[in-house]
Each structure stands twice: as structure tokens, then as C-alpha cells.
Amino acid sequence: MQHPAKPPGNMETHTPDVPLASSRPTLNGQKTAKSARDSFSAYNNKYLTVPQNRTCLHNSRVNGAFEAPSCTESFSSSIINNYLERTQGEAVDKASSSGMCFRDSKRKVDYVLAYHYRNRLARHQPGAGSPKPTRGSASLALVSNGGAEKGHAEPRQQEGGQRAPQERPGSPGPEVIELGPLDALEEEKRLQREEYEHNLVEAGLEIEKDPENKSQGLSFVRIHAPWQVLSREAEILKIKMPTKKVYEITEEGGILKKLNEIWCKLTGPLQPQVPQQENTNMKSLSYPFSREKIYLYNIKDKDTFFDNATRSRIVREILKRTSTKARNSMGIGTLIANNVYDAAYPLHDGEYEGQNDDMNDRKLLYQEWARYGVFYKFQPIDLIRKYFGEKIGLYFAWLGLYTEFLIPSSVVGIIVFLYGCITIESDIPSKEMCDQRNAFTMCPLCDKFCDYWNLSSACATARASHLFDNPGTVFFSIFMAVWATMFLEQWKRLQMRLNYSWDLTGLEEEEEHPRPEYEIKLLQKKLKHKNITAENSNEIMLTFSAVFGVIVYRITTAAALSFSTKETTRSNVRVTVTATAVIINLVVILILDEIYGAVAKWLTEIEVPKTEKTFEERLILKAFLLKFVNSYAPIFYVAFFKGRFVGRPGHYVYVFDGYRMEECAPGGCLMELCIQLSIIMLGKQLIQNNLFEIGIPKLKKLFRKLKDERTEPKETDTNQSKDPQQWDLDYSLEPFTGLTPEYMEMIIQFGFVTLFVASFPLAPLFAFLNNIIEVRLDAKKFVTELRRPDTVRAKDIGIWYNILSGIGKFSVIINAFVIAVTSDFIPRLMYQYAYSQNGTMHGFINHTLSYFNVSHLKAGTQPENSPFAHDVLFCRFKDYREPPWSQNQYEFSKQYWAVLSARLAFVILFQNLVMFLSVLVDWMIPDIPKDITEQIKREKAVLVDFFLKEENEKLKLIESFIARDQQKHKSGTKGERIRAATFSQFNRSPKGSFTSFSAQHTEV
């Protein structure tokens, strides 16, 4: 490769890859990075200056500045600020084998940044083998807030404030290497990382970095937050911490206390074996952390005062707000989006299973929560909140309460189903339908190829319909509407109780940082206005098109099977079409669900919301609307549209030039609705919620592993320990992408349980069985398969509560119409009390069937080769119409209008009754438990008393010192007068008097 004789510009003083050092790194670190960037850009990203005769370029930094070790020495262990030799370094590696601390085994790793690097700046020596990387031959580089490593030559100061290494005697000048596009991009990323890490150190964090001793590979940056940073950020974020004050929680006495004690004894074996507070009646008083009032807090050890979740949360906030000048980076989110870093995550608390006896929170969660063998135990909600944060803790608390509430609804649903099984033999309409002596000759189901048929052939369908179409389903619908209201009210109470227990009662809305995408769009000024409504409508139209396609399939398949010459095929047309159509619906729903998830995210990204909360809420709303329509559109069709627009014999409604609209079964559409609902619900739960959740993360993990093995060369790393560290293990896990998928599948299930429960009383039972597995499946995924999420404080479940409330209210209307329109409950009621001669159901089937004169059939639609053609004068069809001998033949009869009026009246009555009961339940159950309200008031009073007591003790101590100094002042000794004056001046308030100082603290 040809090199220029002399690089353009003053590259002797601006060499971005030449190690530099600074005696004042806090001042010169940014200048160094800036000059390197400027020279790199000025050189048109094509050339890089590399010194000659250097076998290694140690790329360690102190406070963001580069340090230049002697390149003739072999740096097997270079731990800056720790001054460790090789033997000490090996001992450290053994001591820190758990991978939770820095190499000194003292400083805890609070956060990890991971990135891939490429070292292409290699020189080929004559006769040498494979090229060696020019950077990173040292085993470790530690960036901290201390001094530089001992034994390194002090560089000389050059003009302009820049520092350059001292030239060794006999060493030739630097060599200029031409950079390719990939090398230039990699160099730019490296400079961004160096500047960002320098700014992190400026913010007070301590950093330990892996060496880059391969041509390309994965490297980690470990971050530790010292006490000064933790205390400062905890005060800024207003994190509540326990004080020295402990007070007793007053419990309600009487019957409730005894019942609670009995319940605790009965459920003792179901409780998880996790460490509990010794005295549950005592609670530590919490107060937002303040360095000025540090004497209030119970600080036994500064290293353990903030738990791991709080420490990682504090570091994450610093990472979010630390910016770089390169490409207008706004924080760690932008750097990850620009592929400068691959990932940023807190560490898990060690292994969740292993031979060692060291117990940690992760292993405890796995043993007592994240295994299928403990499905019968309650969830350790407090431990979940401690490990994963309040937001995830609230999700699992909500999921646990929802699963518990499914128990009574499942029991009532089973009772209603058993009631239908018991009363099926005494159901008069189904008996009349199955009685062959009645001989109801029905009109053909299709033109030409279908013959007249006997109603008794549909006996099995009629008997099965009674299992779900009986008076018990009406009661169950009312029960489920009240159940939904009680569930939401109980959740609000539990949520408030958790807020009090987790010290979230005074939580303020935290100021959110803008999303990286928003900042980039804002800076580029390329915001484009998109018609989001049109996009949403297009996606919803896609769902309707899919449903319409299935309808066409049902119509054409039914017609095709009717042409069959086999009697068994023609007799099972309805069953075949229904079963295959439902399976097709399920497959389409599963496919469109995945598509709609991506579409909803794409539409939300087009809007470019400013904050993560806004982005999440808009994404949830879009995804829910699309998936709601996708999941329930086929069910809505069967419940309210199928069989409503068929027409009548002699005047059928045709589509696609000769295909008749499909009709409901003789027993009604409720049985088909039950089949449709059960298959779609169970299929989604089994395939999407379980198989996909188990299989897809494993496939992603395998794919990422194969990709890393393919992209990274097989080079031996002599400095890497044999046992993988915790940051290596966590990097191989799947990144946490949010709780939206978890909530979404449960919300859709909640809709199945409440919206059409009148047609399928066993829905709560299947939901309950699924959720028993779902809780442990989600738990195992969070503990074993996902990187540890960032802890997020939240007081509630957000927009999901509004969606749940909306579904609960919508379910009242849907169930009212299902009972009134889809089922035969209203026609039966009307017949028994208005048209029956003896007040029984005898004659109901004959009452609901109308007559049709077969001679009025259109030419070409009569059955061909029918053996009954000459014997049949009238056929029957299900509808309320005038007979052919009436003046208004085939018009709607008076019974039709009476039944229609009764249906509408029932809808109004049912809706108002259930809404009244829901409001009554809402009014009777307070949102905040009475004992929690009293405890919050008492806590405020205890907090004031505690402050006053501490301030008074502080003032008494100050006054005793003042009195002592005054006595010494009267003794006349000069030294004592000076010391007393100095002490008085130190303790004097800004107002200049001790009286004002005392008054000021008394007000606080």
C-alpha cells in the first residue's frame, strides 16, 4: 500500500491513536478527545498516523485522558490506581470469580456497557505471520478517580495545551495508514466511547474496561457508583430511604383479626420460603434522602445502604443524561441506537442454580417462584419488587390477583355448565326436536343439490346447545359483570396497600428524558406529518378482509361439499365447514397478531413521541385496538351477523352469483359461537402465550450465539478467565423489551372471559388453568432468560387499568345482546308467558317454525331427484313469518315484532340493572382501605414528631457547646477566647445570630 511521504496538516501533534497523558486529566481529557476528533475529521476519515516500532499501544485512560506506557515492556497486568503486580492480579481474579465486583473485589459492579470492536490497524512485518492488533495488549484498563499508574514517563507539554509522548532515541517518525470506510466508522465509534466514558468519570462514576486484545470481539465496560455519587443522585431523585424511626402498625381488631389469623394458618404451607421481617407489625419510617439530614437515616454500612436495584437505577439516570458532542449524542439510548454500544444493563445477583451454597435474591426467586414445581404457592411480591422494581412488581401483583379472582368465576361457571347437563333431559324444546313422530319437514339448505330433511336429524346439536343456552347463563352473565367491577375495585385497594408498603404514597412524577429518536428528529428537522388515522383504518380493514375471506370460504366450501355424491359427506357439511373455518380463523389471527405488533410500533415511531411514557401509551393503544379487532372480529360475526341476512325460501340473499348466505344451525348460532370462542381462546393461549413465549426466546438466543461465533474469529484470549463472568452470562440473555406483551395477552384473555361469557361459561376455568402456568412461565423468563431490567418506580399499572375498565363496561352491552339476540332465551320466555296455552314449553318448536309452499320455489332451485318431491306440499323454516295462506304471505308476523320488542327491552333492562349493581359495588367498596388511610395520617404525624425530636436534640447539643465556650471565655485565657470565637463563627446561622438559627430549625 502506498503511503504519502508526509501527512497533510500537522499530524505530528494531532495523532488520534497516539497515547497521551495529562497531569490534570479533569481539565485536559475533553481537549484530548476533541483534538483527536478534529484531526480525524480534518484528515477526511482516510488516514491514521501510527508510530513506528511499537509492538503495543496501551489504550488505558485515567479520567478520560490517554496514558502512554513504555511500549518495550510487556504489560501483563495494568490495573491503574490499584498498583497490582501480576501475582496480585491473579489472586484478584480468583477472589472476584463471582463477577459482581471490580478486579479489586471491593467495588461492586453496578452497571455494564457492552460493545463490539474491530482492530484493523495492523502492520505486517517481514516474515511475520498473521497481523496483530495495534491496540489493547494489556490485560485490563481501569478508569477511576485516582492518580495515574506509577512508573510511567511524564509526557512533555506541547504548545496549544496538547500533550504528546516523548520520542525515544532512534525511533523513526509516525507512519500514515489509509483507512477504509469500515475502519473510519469504527474509529469514530471508538472516539465517541472514549469521550462518553470520560464524561461518566467526570460525573463521579468509576469505570473498569476490558482490553481489546483481538482483531475483533466483544468488550465490556463495568461501572461502579461510589457513595458520593449515590448520595447525590438519591437526593436529586428524591428516593425514599428508611430512617432510624420505627413505629408500630395498628391492626383492626375483632372478627376481622381472628379471620385473618385463621387464614394465615390455613395458607401457611402455600407461603413462599423467603426471608420475612421479624415483626410485621413494625415499619420503618421512610423519608426522601437528604445529605443535610444524613443523621436521620439508619446507615450501618454505606456499601449496602442502597440495594442493587437502587444503585443500578441511579447509574442508569446518569447514563441517560450524560451526552457527547460526537453526532449530537443525547445519552446511552442514542449511543445504543447508533451502534456505538450494543447493550447497557445491570447485573443479575449471580447464578440462579449451581453447586455453591451462596444464596442470593435471584436464586431465591428461582427456587420459590420461577419453577413449575411451586405453582401452588403464593408469589413473593415484596422480593419481586426488591429485585425487579415497582413496575414489574405491580404487574405480577395484578396478575396474581386476577388469577385468584378467576377461582370463584370458574366455580360458578362449572356450576352453570353442570346445571345445563342436569336439565338437558328435562328440556322440552330439545325433546320435541328429537322426537321423530313430530316429523318437521324442513326446506332445503341449498339449491338443487339439497333435499328436504327432517328436523329430528339435528337432535344432537339441539341437546348440545342447551348446555350453554339455559337460564343459568343469564345469571352467569350478571355475575361476571359484577365480578369484573369487584376485581377492579379490589385491585385499586391492593394497589394502594402496596403503595403504602413500598413507600410510593408521595411519589411524584419523575421528569422524563426525551427519547433518542425524538432528539435525532428534532436536530435533523425532518419531522414528517403522516396520516396515522388512514394507516390505522387500513390495518383494521385488513382484519375485516380476512374475516370476509373466511366467510367466503365457508359459503363456497358448504356449497362444494353439498355437491358430493357421498351421503356421509353431505350429512356432515356443517360440522366440517365450522371446524375448518375456525382453524383457519385461528391461524389468521396468530399471523396478524405478529404483524399488527410490528405495525403498531411502526406507526408510533412515525409520530416520534417525546418521552418513553408517551411512546408506550400510544403504542399500547394502537396495538390493543388492532389486536382487539383481530381477535374478536370472527366471534362478532358469528354472534351478531351470521344467519341474520339469509332471506327466506323463494327469496334468498345470494352472493358471488349463486351462492346463498350461510345460515345458523337448527339449534341456533350460540353453539357455533361457543365452538368458535373456545377454539380461538384455547389456541391463542396454547400456541401464542405458551409455545411462542418458550420457543422464540430460545431461538433468538441460539441465533445470537451462532451469529457471534460466525462473526468473531477464533482467537485465544490469554487474559480471559476460564470461568465466564456474570456480565458475560448476562449479555448472552435476551434483552428486556417491556411489559406490553405480557399485559396484552392477559387483557385479550380478560376480554374472552368477560365479553362472550354468556356463550361459554367455562372460559374462566380455562383462563385460570392457563394463568397458573403463565405466572411461572413469566417468572422463569424474567429470572433465567432475560437480562435484569432497569428498576422503574410506578404507582399504578397506567393505561392498562383504563383498558380493563372499558372492557368491563363493554362486556355488559355485549352479553346483553348475546342473550337477547343470539340465544333463544327471549323467544322461549315470550312463548311460555304470552303464547303457551298451559304455561309450559310444549309446542315451542312448532311456534318458531314458519310454513312455505314448495310450489313457490324459484325455477331451477327445486331439489333434483328428490324422493319426497311429490309428497311434500309445505316445508318449514325457522322464522316468524305469515303462512302462505295468509293475505300478507311470508311477511313478518306479529310474533316477530313482539319478540323483537322483548329483545330490546331485555337489553335495556339488563344493561341498567348490571350498571346499577356495578356502581353499587363501586360505592360500597372504598378505593383506599380504611386502615391504610389511618396509617398514612399517622405516618405523617410520626414524621413531624421525629423531625422535631431530632432537631431539638441537635439544638441542645449546640447550646451545650456554646455555654461551655462562654464559660471558658470568662476565664480570660487568650487561646480559649480564640477557640470559642472560631466555634461560634462556625455554628452561626446565615442570619448572623444563634437565636435565628434555633428559630429556623424549629420551623422545619
Side-chain angles (χ1 to χ4, degrees):
M1 183 173 61
Q2 296 291 331
H3 300 299
K6 183 179 181 180
N10 190 12
M11 292 301 293
E12 286 82 356
T13 57
H14 298 281
T15 56
D17 201 48
V18 173
L20 302 174
S22 172
S23 60
R24 296 184 61 192
T26 56
L27 297 177
N28 294 328
Q30 291 179 344
K31 294 181 180 179
T32 304
K34 186 177 187 301
S35 67
R37 263 198 327 276
D38 293 342
S39 65
F40 185 72
S41 301
Y43 210 34
N44 201 21
N45 291 344
K46 293 177 64 178
Y47 299 98
L48 186 66
T49 303
V50 179
Q52 296 283 353
N53 294 339
R54 289 178 179 265
T55 58
C56 68
L57 288 177
H58 187 79
N59 191 23
S60 62
R61 298 186 300 120
V62 180
N63 284 350
F66 299 95
E67 185 178 3
S70 174
C71 290
T72 59
E73 300 174 1
S74 175
F75 293 95
S76 61
S77 180
S78 175
I79 305 183
I80 304 171
N81 301 327
N82 288 348
Y83 311 114
L84 295 181
E85 300 297 335
R86 179 176 179 84
T87 55
Q88 293 173 325
E90 292 176 354
V92 166
D93 286 340
K94 294 179 181 178
S96 61
S97 59
S98 62
M100 301 300 297
C101 298
F102 278 11
R103 298 294 179 177
D104 58 4
S105 296
K106 295 179 181 179
R107 285 173 284 187
K108 186 181 296 183
V109 176
D110 297 319
Y111 221 86
V112 174
L113 306 179
Y115 64 92
H116 280 86
Y117 63 88
R118 293 176 67 253
N119 285 332
R120 295 302 182 190
L121 306 177
R123 298 178 63 253
H124 293 268
Q125 301 292 342
S130 60
K132 296 181 182 180
T134 61
R135 291 193 301 268
S137 63
S139 64
L140 189 71
L142 180 69
V143 181
S144 183
N145 289 331
E149 184 179 1
K150 295 180 180 180
H152 288 187
E154 183 68 25
R156 52 186 170 85
Q157 181 76 30
Q158 290 192 351
E159 295 179 3
Q162 301 295 331
R163 295 179 177 271
Q166 294 179 355
E167 296 288 343
R168 294 187 176 273
S171 62
E175 176 188 359
V176 178
I177 296 178
E178 184 177 357
L179 293 179
L182 292 178
D183 294 331
L185 180 61
E186 184 64 30
E187 190 67 19
E188 184 179 356
K189 290 181 181 179
R190 183 180 66 83
L191 292 174
Q192 289 186 57
R193 287 194 293 266
E194 288 169 354
E195 182 185 358
Y196 184 71
E197 291 158 14
H198 162 75
N199 293 339
L200 292 180
V201 175
E202 287 291 319
L205 297 177
E206 297 177 2
I207 295 177
E208 183 182 68
K209 239 185 138 174
D210 278 345
E212 300 177 3
N213 51 7
K214 295 192 294 184
S215 61
Q216 61 179 353
L218 177 66
S219 186
F220 296 95
V221 178
R222 294 171 289 280
I223 302 174
H224 168 76
W227 169 259
Q228 292 82 0
V229 176
L230 293 173
S231 58
R232 180 192 72 208
E233 297 297 323
E235 185 173 359
I236 294 173
L237 297 174
K238 299 179 180 179
I239 298 177
K240 282 189 173 183
M241 301 302 296
T243 62
K244 299 176 183 178
K245 179 64 177 178
V246 179
Y247 67 98
E248 184 178 2
I249 301 175
T250 57
E251 294 183 350
E252 296 182 1
I255 300 177
L256 292 177
K257 185 178 180 179
K258 293 182 179 179
L259 290 176
N260 187 37
E261 292 176 353
I262 296 173
W263 174 254
C264 291
K265 290 181 180 179
L266 292 176
T267 59
L270 305 180
Q271 298 294 337
Q273 302 299 318
V274 296
Q276 299 286 346
Q277 188 178 349
E278 295 181 359
N279 191 352
T280 56
N281 294 333
M282 304 301 293
K283 185 177 185 297
S284 296
L285 188 67
S286 297
Y287 186 73
F289 188 82
S290 173
R291 287 174 291 180
E292 293 181 356
K293 296 182 174 61
I294 199 168
Y295 56 87
L296 299 176
Y297 305 97
N298 189 16
I299 304 177
K300 297 179 181 179
D301 186 359
K302 290 183 178 181
D303 292 335
T304 58
F305 180 66
F306 296 103
D307 59 13
N308 292 345
T310 306
R311 296 174 69 100
S312 64
R313 177 188 167 208
I314 289 173
V315 175
R316 180 72 180 188
E317 289 296 324
I318 298 176
L319 293 177
K320 282 182 179 180
R321 69 168 184 256
T322 301
S323 61
T324 62
K325 297 179 181 178
R327 296 184 66 178
N328 300 308
S329 170
M330 305 307 171
I332 189 62
T334 310
L335 294 174
I336 293 177
N338 293 333
N339 296 320
V340 177
Y341 290 101
D342 291 342
Y345 52 91
L347 291 180
H348 278 292
D349 286 357
E351 288 289 333
Y352 61 89
E353 58 182 357
Q355 302 298 329
N356 57 343
D357 297 330
D358 297 336
M359 183 59 67
N360 54 62
D361 288 345
R362 188 188 187 192
K363 183 180 290 187
L364 194 60
L365 284 172
Y366 178 74
Q367 293 178 355
E368 296 295 328
W369 178 54
R371 294 188 300 113
Y372 294 110
V374 293
F375 71 93
Y376 60 91
K377 288 188 176 183
F378 292 109
Q379 298 185 89
I381 296 297
D382 290 331
L383 186 59
I384 296 170
R385 171 253 178 179
K386 175 187 174 185
Y387 193 80
F388 293 110
E390 285 78 6
K391 190 172 184 178
I392 295 177
L394 284 174
Y395 163 71
F396 281 104
W398 174 85
L399 181 58
L401 181 68
Y402 171 51
T403 305
E404 290 176 10
F405 258 73
L406 286 173
I407 297 176
S409 60
S410 301
V411 172
V412 177
I414 294 173
I415 293 173
V416 171
F417 179 74
L418 293 177
Y419 170 79
C421 296
I422 294 171
T423 58
I424 191 172
E425 297 298 334
S426 60
D427 183 49
I428 296 175
S430 60
K431 281 185 176 181
E432 290 183 350
M433 187 178 294
C434 296
D435 191 358
Q436 296 183 359
R437 293 173 297 178
N438 291 326
F440 294 111
T441 303
M442 306 298 292
C443 296
L445 294 174
C446 64
D447 296 341
K448 294 177 67 176
F449 297 97
C450 296
D451 199 358
Y452 303 103
W453 57 286
N454 200 318
L455 185 61
S456 59
S457 62
C459 175
T461 306
R463 291 171 66 86
S465 297
H466 179 74
L467 298 176
F468 305 100
D469 188 4
N470 56 70
T473 57
V474 180
F475 162 75
F476 190 55
S477 299
I478 299 174
F479 170 81
M480 287 303 295
V482 177
W483 171 89
T485 304
M486 291 189 65
F487 164 64
L488 294 177
E489 289 300 314
Q490 188 62 30
W491 167 244
K492 286 193 287 188
R493 291 170 61 84
L494 176 61
Q495 186 174 258
M496 195 63 207
R497 198 175 290 277
L498 292 176
N499 285 344
Y500 169 72
S501 176
W502 296 347
D503 297 320
L504 300 174
T505 50
L507 181 65
E508 300 178 359
E509 288 291 335
E510 297 180 0
E511 183 180 356
E512 290 193 76
H513 300 281
R515 297 175 61 246
E517 295 81 359
Y518 175 81
E519 294 286 359
I520 292 173
K521 288 287 184 181
L522 196 64
L523 290 171
Q524 294 176 349
K525 296 182 180 180
K526 292 183 180 179
L527 288 173
K528 298 180 181 179
H529 299 285
K530 300 287 185 179
N531 191 354
I532 303 303
T533 305
E535 297 290 346
N536 267 323
S537 61
N538 290 339
E539 297 304 324
I540 294 175
M541 287 304 297
L542 177 61
T543 297
F544 289 152
S545 300
V547 175
F548 184 71
V550 175
I551 295 171
V552 172
Y553 163 81
R554 297 168 70 110
I555 295 172
T556 54
T557 306
L561 292 177
S562 300
F563 298 158
S564 176
T565 57
K566 296 181 179 180
E567 180 63 28
T568 55
T569 304
R570 291 200 304 269
S571 60
N572 295 322
V573 167
R574 194 181 300 277
V575 177
T576 305
V577 171
T578 301
T580 55
V582 171
I583 294 173
I584 292 174
N585 270 326
L586 175 61
V587 174
V588 170
I589 287 172
L590 294 177
I591 295 174
L592 289 183
D593 257 356
E594 301 302 319
I595 295 175
Y596 285 164
V599 168
K601 186 176 182 180
W602 175 68
L603 292 175
T604 311
E605 288 175 348
I606 289 177
E607 297 177 359
V608 197
K610 182 175 182 180
T611 62
E612 286 292 343
K613 183 178 180 181
T614 309
F615 178 85
E616 186 180 19
E617 288 181 350
R618 293 183 182 180
L619 174 62
I620 289 170
L621 194 58
K622 289 181 179 62
F624 171 73
L625 290 176
L626 291 173
K627 293 189 176 185
F628 181 88
V629 174
N630 181 43
S631 299
Y632 299 121
I635 302 173
F636 270 93
Y637 164 72
V638 175
F640 303 121
F641 297 99
K642 184 180 178 182
R644 310 294 169 192
F645 311 102
V646 177
R648 60 172 178 81
H651 196 270
Y652 285 113
V653 177
Y654 292 91
V655 293
F656 300 112
D657 192 23
Y659 290 100
R660 276 167 47 179
M661 292 290 292
E662 57 177 345
E663 304 178 40
C664 290
C669 276
L670 195 68
M671 186 62 198
E672 189 171 344
L673 176 62
C674 174
I675 295 172
Q676 185 103 4
L677 181 66
S678 59
I679 292 179
I680 291 178
M681 177 181 176
L682 296 178
K684 275 180 66 68
Q685 289 183 351
L686 179 64
I687 298 174
Q688 192 175 40
N689 298 358
N690 294 326
L691 294 182
F692 282 11
E693 280 196 36
I694 296 173
I696 290 180
K698 293 185 181 299
L699 291 176
K700 287 183 177 179
K701 184 178 179 180
L702 178 62
F703 176 76
R704 190 167 59 249
K705 183 179 179 182
L706 294 175
K707 182 180 178 182
D708 291 341
E709 290 178 354
R710 187 173 65 253
T711 56
E712 292 187 11
K714 296 181 179 180
E715 301 178 22
T716 57
D717 188 355
T718 56
N719 299 306
Q720 187 176 5
S721 60
K722 295 181 179 179
D723 296 330
Q725 299 295 321
Q726 190 62 46
W727 46 84
D728 293 301
L729 298 173
D730 287 2
Y731 180 78
S732 64
L733 300 178
E734 191 71 16
F736 174 69
T737 56
L739 288 170
T740 300
E742 317 301 333
Y743 273 113
M744 187 65 71
E745 63 185 60
M746 289 295 104
I747 296 296
I748 297 295
Q749 184 201 84
F750 183 79
F752 281 121
V753 169
T754 55
L755 288 178
F756 297 95
V757 74
S759 62
F760 190 40
L762 295 179
L765 175 63
F766 288 111
F768 172 70
L769 296 177
N770 173 80
N771 285 10
I772 291 177
I773 302 173
E774 181 70 23
V775 171
R776 307 302 161 179
L777 181 64
D778 285 349
K780 187 174 182 180
K781 182 170 66 174
F782 273 85
V783 173
T784 66
E785 297 177 2
L786 294 180
R787 295 175 191 160
R788 187 171 185 175
D790 294 303
T791 57
V792 179
R793 292 174 73 83
K795 296 177 65 175
D796 49 44
I797 59 176
I799 194 175
W800 296 111
Y801 180 83
N802 299 329
I803 293 176
L804 284 168
S805 181
I807 291 178
K809 292 178 173 60
F810 190 50
S811 67
V812 177
I813 304 173
I814 296 299
N815 282 305
F817 277 98
V818 167
I819 296 171
V821 177
T822 311
S823 74
D824 284 338
F825 176 74
I826 298 300
R828 291 187 183 194
L829 210 63
M830 284 291 295
Y831 177 78
Q832 185 174 2
Y833 293 103
Y835 299 107
S836 176
Q837 296 179 358
N838 53 7
T840 63
M841 293 300 295
H842 290 286
F844 173 73
I845 297 297
N846 185 53
H847 178 75
T848 58
L849 297 178
S850 300
Y851 287 91
F852 181 78
N853 192 338
V854 296
S855 62
H856 294 166
L857 288 172
K858 291 183 179 180
T861 62
Q862 299 92 343
E864 295 181 349
N865 303 323
S866 173
F868 311 104
H870 301 289
D871 301 333
V872 177
L873 297 177
F874 298 96
C875 65
R876 310 293 294 270
F877 64 98
K878 188 174 183 181
D879 206 347
Y880 291 101
R881 291 183 181 268
E882 296 289 345
W885 53 82
S886 174
Q887 294 180 353
N888 302 320
Q889 60 179 4
Y890 307 133
E891 297 291 333
F892 287 117
S893 62
K894 295 180 180 179
Q895 289 88 343
Y896 172 83
W897 298 110
V899 171
L900 181 61
S901 302
R903 292 180 195 269
L904 297 177
F906 174 81
V907 169
I908 296 172
L909 179 64
F910 182 88
Q911 179 181 344
N912 284 279
L913 174 63
V914 174
M915 288 295 184
F916 170 75
L917 293 176
S918 300
V919 172
L920 182 64
V921 170
D922 189 3
W923 174 75
M924 292 178 62
I925 302 177
D927 293 346
I928 305 176
K930 185 178 179 181
D931 59 326
I932 296 298
T933 305
E934 295 176 354
Q935 293 296 339
I936 293 174
K937 293 179 180 178
R938 185 167 179 267
E939 187 177 90
K940 292 179 180 179
V942 171
L943 185 63
V944 172
D945 293 341
F946 177 59
F947 276 170
L948 291 176
K949 182 179 178 181
E950 290 292 332
E951 293 295 339
N952 287 334
E953 292 180 357
K954 183 178 177 182
L955 289 174
K956 288 180 181 179
L957 183 62
I958 292 174
E959 291 173 356
S960 64
F961 276 112
I962 293 172
R964 188 185 308 169
D965 284 349
Q966 288 177 350
Q967 292 177 358
K968 292 180 180 180
H969 179 70
K970 292 179 180 178
S971 63
T973 311
K974 183 177 180 181
E976 292 176 347
R977 286 200 302 270
I978 295 174
R979 186 164 57 255
T982 303
F983 183 82
S984 301
Q985 184 178 2
F986 176 79
N987 287 279
R988 189 177 297 273
S989 68
K991 296 182 180 180
S993 65
F994 293 107
T995 307
S996 63
F997 178 81
S998 177
Q1000 183 181 0
H1001 282 273
T1002 305
E1003 290 174 1
V1004 173

